[in-house]
DNA sequence: GGATATGGACAGTAGAGCTATCCACTCGGG
DNA sequence: CCCGAGTGGATAGCTCTACTGTCCATATCC
């Protein structure tokens, strides 16, 4: 197919497709002449993935490009591609002078919990940095019983991650497998957040008996 | 204190403080003359909260304004403020013509799980819409065993939410309590996501024995 | 009384993410 | 073989967000 049909099938405008081609998110089509090219079903799927990562996952175009580059790199082990995805998904503030003690305290707290659980995680994992940053921000805002919450999050996320990793079966096609992992990771964040909100409404209703109605808008 | 000291103490530039005042994120200081005003510790805390919601939570300035307006509204019940926070935090794509069947299927799947668990959630909760949108996107991308994953997410998030709601003790000052809930909700998303990445690294290492090193950059 | 700071208004800026226009082709129907 | 729609490529422009800078009349502080 050519670009017009690709646009129709993916729901992405021709102008945007050209833009994604320029920015390296979408691989070029197969050339059939000096200024003609054809695209396949892979391009349709790729475009859908791009839109999902940007719209639902909230990734920037650059982050999406990097994630997809990791997906495409056959050298990269499966969960490294995932790690690459984390790096581009997560953003946390840098520690700046006066926050240093909150930062150090947060890092100690996290390290303690990680050690206590015997987790094997590398400090180079961007998620480590993010987690420390979020924890430091929490404490700076004066939030109480944070360690308890962190422990809860780690316990539950370990269960989630264990099942997620176990569910990853190699589908033969490595690219497809990695795609699934990346999509599951990025969209999983959004789904977890949404489900958390629903659970919070349910639990607040059950435990506090507050009004179930929700403000519109 | 006046705006200069407020800037120094909060780490936010005077220009940005003026901008937040204009946009209604920060309440005006107490007037001491026709063109003079003083600010208090509340303003410092509010500024830190603004930066946290924007930088760590990833909210837009407008979303932050709305969340803070809900925090400030003494009429709004506690967990409605939280709901208001969800609405501005979450964004999902709208269903558009050809995705309709995926959308309907996703909505059925979620409703089924919600009913099975006896959750009391309102369809007006923006999180519902978001969850359906994410699920529909998943299916459109052809991901397998999704219901299983959804069930896992709901089970674990129910546990998380239950503990979070139980941990909310009224600190006397309603505004402070709501602040804590909002911060916990928004920053909690980021922390959960980061912890999930760490847990994924740990579990992938444990279950698959892949290289623990992480790509730099 | 003079340097510095302030509140308020408004214009300007940088980056992200497209979108529109132009051009030289080329494909497909008549 | 011709004509109109479509194509790839390049480049310019647009809209939105989140600031940032400038200006000015006043106010504060030494």
């Amino acid at each position: 197919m050519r670009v017009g049909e690709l646009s129709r099938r993916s729901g992405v405008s021709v102008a945007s497709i050209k833009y994604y081609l320029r920015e390296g998110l979408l691989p070029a089509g197969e050339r059939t002449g000096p200024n003609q090219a054809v695209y396949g079903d892979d391009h349709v799927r790729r475009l859908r993935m791009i839109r999902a990562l940007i719209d639902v996952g909230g990734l920037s175009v650059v982050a999406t490009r990097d994630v997809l580059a990791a997906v495409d790199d056959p050298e990269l082990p499966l969960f490294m591609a995932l790690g690459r995805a984390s790096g581009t998904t997560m953003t946390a503030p840098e520690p700046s002078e006066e926050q240093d003690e909150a930062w150090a305290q947060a890092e100690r707290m996290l390290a303690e919990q990680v050690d206590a659980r015997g987790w094997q995680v590398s400090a180079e994992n961007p998620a480590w940095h993010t987690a420390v940053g979020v924890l430091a921000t929490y404490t700076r805002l004066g939030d109480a019983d944070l360690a308890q919450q962190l422990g809860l999050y780690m316990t539950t996320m370990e269960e989630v991650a264990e099942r997620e990793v176990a569910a990853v079966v190699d589908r033969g096609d490595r690219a497809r497998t990695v795609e699934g992992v990346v999509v599951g990771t990025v969209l999983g964040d959004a789904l977890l957040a949404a489900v958390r909100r629903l659970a919070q409404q349910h639990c607040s209703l059950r435990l506090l008996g507050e009004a179930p109605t929700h403000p519109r808008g």
Side-chain angles (χ1 to χ4, degrees), chain A:
Chain A
M1 87 193 77
R2 294 193 317 185
V3 85
E5 192 181 344
L6 180 59
S7 170
R8 239 171 295 114
R9 284 226 264 154
S10 63
V12 179
S13 73
V14 173
S16 292
I17 291 175
K18 285 182 172 185
Y19 171 61
Y20 294 147
L21 284 166
R22 272 203 307 283
E23 297 298 316
L25 278 76
L26 189 67
E30 196 188 337
R31 309 307 302 261
T32 62
N35 60 347
Q36 291 290 297
V38 291
Y39 307 89
D41 287 339
D42 284 2
H43 291 88
V44 179
R45 218 180 56 253
R46 171 62 68 105
L47 275 174
R48 283 208 247 267
M49 202 167 158
I50 290 170
R51 300 291 350 155
L53 294 179
I54 290 176
D55 293 341
V56 184
L59 297 203
S60 69
V61 168
V62 176
T64 305
R65 194 231 294 131
D66 294 347
V67 167
L68 292 174
V71 168
D72 292 339
D73 186 350
E75 298 296 310
L76 220 55
L78 183 61
F79 274 85
M80 269 202 186
L82 175 61
R84 189 67 65 88
S86 340
T88 46
T89 311
M90 325 244 75
T91 34
E94 290 300 306
S96 64
E97 73 265 12
E98 106 181 77
Q99 284 125 292
D100 271 353
E101 78 292 345
W103 203 272
Q105 186 193 329
E107 188 137 32
R108 252 179 285 118
M109 183 192 292
L110 182 58
E112 197 179 302
Q113 292 272 355
V114 163
D115 286 351
R117 285 177 163 74
W119 282 18
Q120 292 230 323
V121 300
S122 58
E124 291 102 54
N125 189 329
W128 175 276
H129 192 238
T130 304
V132 171
V134 177
L135 287 169
T137 305
Y138 257 123
T139 38
R140 241 169 77 79
L141 290 173
D143 215 314
D145 47 54
L146 184 53
Q148 206 177 0
Q149 220 74 310
L150 176 61
L152 171 62
Y153 289 172
M154 288 179 70
T155 305
T156 52
M157 283 305 107
E158 184 167 6
E159 198 181 326
V160 166
E162 187 151 348
R163 300 259 218 107
E164 284 175 335
V165 170
V168 173
V169 286
D170 205 304
R171 308 172 192 180
D173 186 350
R174 176 197 167 278
R176 288 297 191 95
T177 309
V178 177
E179 267 185 28
V181 170
V182 167
V183 167
T185 300
V186 176
L187 294 203
D189 283 347
L191 187 53
L192 272 168
V195 169
R196 179 166 169 244
R197 297 289 193 287
L198 294 177
Q200 282 174 338
Q201 183 181 25
H202 166 62
C203 290
S204 70
L205 189 65
R206 198 162 60 75
L207 297 179
L208 305 180
E210 274 204 31
T213 53
H214 202 276
R216 15 228 107 225

